[in-house]
Amino acid sequence: MNYIDDGYVVDDLIVMAREAKGETISIQWIPRINYDSSNFSKRVRKSIAINQDWLPKHLASHGVDASIITEMRTDIFRTPSHQIWVKAYLKDNRGQEYEAYVSR
């Protein structure tokens, strides 16, 4: 729900998910990916960069050792019934996978 450059980031992501016709829009947090040349809007790219920089501090503040996380991403997609869903995904260094759906 970040508000950047006179708009909500989530609004841009919802538009992208609707236009993706069922394809998943993913934001990869770990390992870190550079989104400068992606199809994301400028607002979304700016938000991703801010949150990528903040993520290690956020994890540390919760006592999480970031080195145990091998993959972390956010998936946004439209279901066949045209609902927009957001899923958080994490995989640890033991191969254990965690998924949680995020409500708006």
Side-chain angles (χ1 to χ4, degrees):
M1 295 300 292
N2 296 344
Y3 190 82
I4 295 176
D5 296 339
D6 299 321
Y8 288 102
V9 173
V10 69
D11 292 339
D12 291 5
L13 293 170
I14 288 170
V15 169
M16 282 188 73
R18 285 187 180 132
E19 292 174 351
K21 300 184 183 228
E23 295 295 318
T24 300
I25 308 294
S26 290
I27 301 169
Q28 186 80 31
W29 303 104
I30 299 174
R32 186 175 176 151
I33 291 177
N34 184 326
Y35 287 96
D36 288 344
S37 61
S38 71
N39 291 333
F40 288 116
S41 69
K42 181 180 176 186
R43 178 186 355 263
V44 172
R45 290 191 312 268
K46 186 173 182 179
S47 176
I48 289 171
I50 290 167
N51 284 290
Q52 285 175 327
D53 291 342
W54 172 72
L55 182 59
K57 296 175 203 115
H58 179 66
L59 293 172
S61 75
H62 288 282
V64 175
D65 178 2
S67 70
I68 68 168
I69 302 171
T70 59
E71 185 177 359
M72 181 177 166
R73 71 175 188 265
T74 303
D75 294 332
I76 304 110
F77 57 94
R78 185 177 78 178
T79 67
S81 62
H82 303 286
Q83 295 177 321
I84 303 296
W85 285 82
V86 178
K87 181 173 69 171
Y89 172 86
L90 186 136
K91 186 175 183 179
D92 66 24
N93 61 356
R94 299 169 299 159
Q96 181 69 39
E97 296 178 329
Y98 306 88
E99 295 181 345
Y101 287 92
V102 182
S103 61
R104 180 174 180 206

